[in-house]
Amino acid sequence: GGLTVSEAMTAGRPMVLVGTVPGNESINEAFVVRGCAGISAKAHEVGAAVSSLRVLVPGMSRSAKQLVQHHAAENVLAHAIRLAKRVGNRP
């Protein structure tokens, strides 16, 4: 899920994502893979995937840390307040 992805990226840990559930988890998986912070694998490919990560870990760790959205909670709150003010000004 999203919290696990956030924690792993903040720690700079590449991920092997297996069996993601359609919906938000698939979106998280695409974000991680596109951002070079992890790879997607089928259950029967996990051993080979983990083995292949040994040479990729340093670069993927840097990528994971770069994807972290610092101060995300504050940014979301500020955006929500701006929206609420805009809605509050409607007749």
Side-chain angles (χ1 to χ4, degrees), residues 1-15:
L3 186 55
T4 301
V5 169
S6 297
E7 290 174 345
M9 288 190 318
T10 299
R13 300 293 186 246
M15 293 166 272

Side-chain angles (χ1 to χ4, degrees), residues 48-74:
V50 169
S51 180
S52 73
L53 280 180
R54 284 188 285 212
V55 296
L56 301 174
V57 166
M60 291 181 120
S61 292
R62 283 189 297 278
S63 293
K65 287 181 180 181
Q66 290 172 349
L67 290 173
V68 173
Q69 298 293 316
H70 297 282
H71 309 290
E74 292 90 347

Side-chain angles (χ1 to χ4, degrees), residues 42 48 77:
K42 297 193 184 315
L77 180 59

Side-chain angles (χ1 to χ4, degrees), residues 8-22:
M9 288 190 318
T10 299
R13 300 293 186 246
M15 293 166 272
V16 177
L17 302 160
V18 181
T20 54
V21 176

Side-chain angles (χ1 to χ4, degrees), residues 1-6 9 15 17 19-34:
L3 186 55
T4 301
V5 169
S6 297
M9 288 190 318
M15 293 166 272
L17 302 160
T20 54
V21 176
N24 287 345
E25 287 190 18
S26 295
I27 294 167
N28 292 335
E29 177 184 40
F31 178 76
V32 168
V33 171
R34 238 187 348 265

